[in-house]
Amino acid sequence: MFRMPPREATIVPMSPWWKNAVVYQIYPRSFADSNGDGIGDLAGITDKADYLAQLGADAVWLSPVYTSPQDDNGYDISDYDDIDPLFGTLADFDAMVAALHARGIKVIMDQVLNHTSDEHAWFQASRDKASDKRDWYLWRPAREGFEPGAPGAEPTNWSSFFGGPAWEYDPTSGEYYLHLFSRKQPDLNWENPAVRAELVAMMRRWIDRGVDGFRFDVLNLISKTYPLVDGVADPVTGLCMDPTMVLEGPRLSEFIQELNREVGFDESDLLTVGEFVMATPETAWKHTADSHKELGMVFGFDHMFLDQREGGMKWELAPLELPRLKQALAKWQDALASSGWNTLFWENHDQPRSVSRFGDDRPEFRVASAKTLGTTMMLMRGTPYLYQGQELGMTNAGFTEIEQYRDLEGLNMHTMATGLGLPQPFVMAALAAKGRDNARTPMQWDATPTAGFTTGTPWIGMPGNQAEINALDEVADPDSVFNHYRQLIDFRRRSSLAHEGHFALLLPDDPAVFAYTRGDGGQAMLVIANWSTDEVTVSRDSLPAMVHARPTLGTHGDPLLGADALVLRPWESIVYCIGDAWRLDS
Ligand code: TEU
Ligand code: CA
């Protein structure tokens, strides 16, 4: 009943390669453990290279594996040139790259350039006021009129992203250093050319080692606006919680263009993606338009802020309204339609599981909703990023006790909220819905007690549903979430519409249906998805004529198409195509 393009169908791929790619994000600590210490590692990734090839990943993005005290699970780097022993050695890294390259899979490294670990040799040296590294970080004296170290003496009233002041007092030199994240993540001073040159040289060494691209952590924080001044204080914390104080500083484009040029993004044909805190479609365009010579694409988070109180913190839960989600995504599609490029994602290592968050993880809806989230995302215009386990429909962790959590962001929030006297059930519900640990439970490879992740004790608990959700069973089951993603990736690879077709949102105000077209006229694709647990009826008048066509892909078998209407079953999604480059239904 479904018609995929024939195997031999070939399309002219767009250049550069990463516009056609599907990227698979690996959180190494939670992917596969090869030596039984309960922590995933590089040899574990190498062991799973065939699985990644089977899914159809074109590239993997590895969250940081560099030497690190692991305060923020590797986003606190103490040596950019080596591998943390937890994950293996440089030889293990080379073996992993070779195994992935042998299967046509490229390797994207995470680069954390805004800050280092406080245990990095640069920062250690920088603690000494006389050191030539002093200026590599942002040191400031106490606020005027305050005793250094006294309450309120921080140079500005900024909050760190992880809660508490963004300044830490260093008694030895009597000054404070800036850390926009944890106190073990001091911010580098990008105004200093020696800092920039050192980072460029380091990235070139990784390119020489064979890596194919970089994901840049919080890249729009690297240029600060000087002088550093107070912002409006939040009445509860007394700190300025407004990130716009530290975003998109005046030299941001200059710094990124310098990286592009000096690291050689184009010459080395690199995939580059910047994580942009609170990016707008306009800033995304500014930093990704070809002629601006900055980045390939950026991660924006507009669609990740819709299930929280507007203007509030991510912990302030609010119901998601589908029209707002559709409009948020469509806005980005439109803004980057003629130049610039989009990223497409529902998950990463900082976000809850999409099936629990946007879909419905109850047994009767989990598979269908996970598939439909996949259909909806994978056929928009841009480069899709799948996060490990998303292709299995893995769920949130289901933790109920604070002892089960590991992530510093969630633990800090818990301490702070408890200190403020917020009721425990309320705090625990926020953590269960939004905590970053939801995405960090071990990858579920099989139905055994540790899900085939380790022979030891996993570093973090698991949801306990590996009997129903695991790679071994899903690879074998043609109707699994895994095989739906595999089909989507395969279809995408052979469809020029999926790559290039112009995006248009249909039925923007419909509270249950997510529908859009790609392309127009004689060459077009229609994606129509029911994002609800009810059956919904869509009149044929409101849909393009191509619903006559035989569907290309779907989640529920033959569509329920009547004379006047298409009936969509709960979480059903269907893809129709006419006149795609492979010309089947024309
Ligand atoms: O995340 C940046 C970032 O904005 C998050 O800290 C965000 O505030 C939070 O996850 C929302 O819940 C990047 C990395 O992806 C994250 O894992 C790191 O902790 C952070 O930078 C610091 O390096
Ligand atoms: Ca291990």
Side-chain angles (χ1 to χ4, degrees):
M1 108 219 67
F2 295 116
R3 306 202 73 192
M4 291 280 281
R7 282 269 138 214
E8 60 280 10
T10 45
I11 55 148
V12 184
M14 276 192 295
S15 168
W17 67 271
W18 43 262
K19 289 195 172 175
N20 305 302
V22 173
V23 182
Y24 185 92
Q25 184 191 350
I26 291 180
Y27 197 65
R29 162 181 286 273
S30 303
F31 190 64
D33 174 23
S34 70
N35 63 353
D37 67 354
I39 298 172
D41 45 53
L42 295 176
I45 299 172
T46 307
D47 290 342
K48 301 297 182 186
D50 282 332
Y51 172 83
L52 299 168
Q54 196 172 4
L55 177 64
D58 298 295
V60 298
W61 146 29
L62 295 194
S63 278
V65 290
Y66 314 94
T67 314
S68 162
Q70 303 289 328
D71 182 53
D72 188 17
N73 290 357
Y75 284 90
D76 48 319
I77 299 171
S78 53
D79 183 353
Y80 289 92
D81 283 295
D82 208 348
I83 300 293
D84 195 285
L86 269 185
F87 299 121
T89 60
L90 282 165
D92 293 327
F93 181 82
D94 293 340
M96 179 202 72
V97 172
L100 293 171
H101 281 175
R103 289 161 181 80
I105 301 171
K106 303 201 191 254
V107 178
I108 311 303
M109 295 286 273
D110 218 311
Q111 280 297 356
V112 187
L113 307 181
N114 178 69
H115 45 267
T116 68
S117 165
D118 65 336
E119 296 180 34
H120 195 292
W122 300 339
F123 187 76
Q124 291 302 323
S126 177
R127 283 188 186 277
D128 177 358
K129 262 185 153 165
S131 158
D132 64 347
K133 299 273 185 315
R134 182 66 172 181
D135 184 49
W136 282 39
Y137 293 84
L138 292 156
W139 291 97
R140 290 290 183 278
R143 184 182 291 274
E144 225 178 284
F146 280 76
E147 195 56 39
E154 288 82 14
T156 73
N157 65 354
W158 299 351
S159 165
S160 103
F161 283 94
F162 291 151
W167 297 94
E168 182 72 7
Y169 180 55
D170 180 45
T172 10
S173 66
E175 289 191 339
Y176 291 78
Y177 64 86
L178 179 70
H179 61 89
L180 293 179
F181 292 89
S182 96
R183 60 167 66 88
K184 289 187 65 62
Q185 293 169 301
D187 282 51
L188 282 164
N189 176 16
W190 273 69
E191 302 294 317
N192 185 325
V195 169
R196 307 202 300 273
E198 199 62 54
L199 294 173
V200 163
M202 174 275 291
M203 282 187 275
R204 294 185 66 108
R205 290 192 288 274
W206 284 105
I207 296 171
D208 292 343
R209 237 188 157 96
V211 316
D212 307 290
F214 299 112
R215 175 265 187 192
F216 297 106
D217 194 62
V218 296
L219 193 64
N220 61 337
L221 303 183
I222 58 176
S223 163
K224 270 76 176 173
T225 302
Y226 297 94
L228 310 178
V229 294
D230 283 342
V232 180
D234 177 88
V236 180
T237 60
L239 297 174
C240 170
M241 314 282 283
D242 176 8
T244 57
M245 296 293 297
V246 293
L247 302 182
E248 199 72 35
R251 298 185 71 186
L252 183 60
S253 280
E254 177 198 335
F255 289 159
I256 301 177
Q257 282 160 7
E258 182 180 289
L259 282 179
N260 180 314
R261 200 174 55 240
E262 300 297 322
V263 178
F265 291 179
D266 294 339
E267 297 88 283
S268 300
D269 207 12
L270 301 184
L271 178 155
T272 56
V273 54
E275 186 201 31
F276 272 48
V277 179
M278 297 187 75
T280 63
E282 293 72 30
T283 53
W285 176 80
K286 180 173 167 198
H287 300 293
T288 65
D290 288 351
S291 58
H292 299 176
K293 297 258 172 281
E294 296 191 27
L295 297 165
M297 47 200 153
V298 308
F299 290 121
F301 295 91
D302 281 353
H303 63 305
M304 296 281 132
F305 294 135
L306 302 173
D307 53 357
Q308 68 194 50
R309 185 177 67 77
E310 220 176 323
M313 304 216 290
K314 75 174 196 177
W315 308 109
E316 303 177 67
L317 309 182
L320 176 80
E321 290 162 30
L322 184 64
R324 292 183 65 213
L325 178 69
K326 291 189 286 189
Q327 281 148 28
L329 292 165
K331 202 172 159 197
W332 281 71
Q333 291 280 306
D334 294 345
L336 303 178
S338 48
S339 68
W341 193 247
N342 254 304
T343 55
L344 308 170
F345 70 99
W346 292 136
E347 295 187 17
N348 64 34
H349 64 291
D350 294 333
Q351 300 292 335
R353 289 292 185 177
S354 57
V355 73
S356 301
R357 182 185 197 179
F358 300 114
D360 191 324
D361 63 11
R362 290 174 292 179
E364 63 272 41
F365 300 115
R366 187 188 61 85
V367 169
S369 66
K371 288 181 182 177
T372 282
L373 292 175
T375 312
T376 310
M377 175 189 97
M378 294 282 296
L379 297 175
M380 286 192 252
R381 192 164 189 275
T383 297
Y385 287 76
L386 287 181
Y387 178 69
Q388 66 182 45
Q390 180 182 348
E391 78 282 15
L392 304 177
M394 275 181 61
T395 62
N396 275 352
F399 294 163
T400 51
E401 310 296 327
I402 193 64
E403 292 70 31
Q404 293 174 289
Y405 288 92
R406 298 286 177 271
D407 175 34
L408 82 170
E409 183 195 55
L411 294 173
N412 286 354
M413 183 283 275
H414 182 265
T415 307
M416 203 150 41
T418 306
L420 290 169
L422 296 181
Q424 278 306 297
F426 177 80
V427 180
M428 294 311 290
L431 266 177
K434 292 290 189 64
R436 304 197 298 183
D437 284 329
N438 283 308
R440 301 177 181 184
T441 65
M443 177 75 177
Q444 295 176 184
W445 295 104
D446 62 33
T448 60
T450 52
F453 164 72
T454 178
T455 54
T457 307
W459 69 276
I460 188 172
M462 303 190 295
N465 52 17
Q466 68 269 31
E468 296 78 45
I469 310 172
N470 69 72
L472 186 67
D473 293 342
E474 293 200 32
V475 167
D477 172 6
D479 293 324
S480 65
V481 179
F482 176 89
N483 276 304
H484 184 72
Y485 266 106
R486 200 183 48 75
Q487 261 192 319
L488 283 166
I489 294 171
D490 188 39
F491 166 64
R492 191 174 217 287
R493 179 164 297 135
R494 285 178 284 132
S495 163
S496 59
L497 281 171
H499 292 144
E500 291 171 73
H502 172 76
F503 173 94
L505 184 67
L506 302 181
L507 308 170
D509 302 319
D510 193 295
V513 176
F514 198 138
Y516 60 86
T517 53
R518 300 289 311 280
D520 15 50
Q523 272 205 32
M525 179 193 311
L526 166 66
V527 177
I528 181 160
N530 179 1
W531 273 53
S532 81
T533 53
D534 299 320
E535 199 168 89
V536 299
T537 301
V538 188
S539 92
R540 280 175 71 159
D541 301 342
S542 57
L543 292 174
M546 69 185 110
V547 291
H548 287 295
R550 225 192 302 180
T552 297
L553 260 168
T555 51
H556 285 65
D558 281 329
L560 302 179
L561 181 66
D564 305 317
L566 174 67
V567 174
L568 293 168
R569 287 157 281 205
W571 289 104
E572 178 173 12
S573 53
I574 313 172
V575 180
Y576 295 96
C577 287
I578 49 163
D580 199 349
W582 38 272
R583 291 178 215 291
L584 265 187
D585 285 308
S586 43

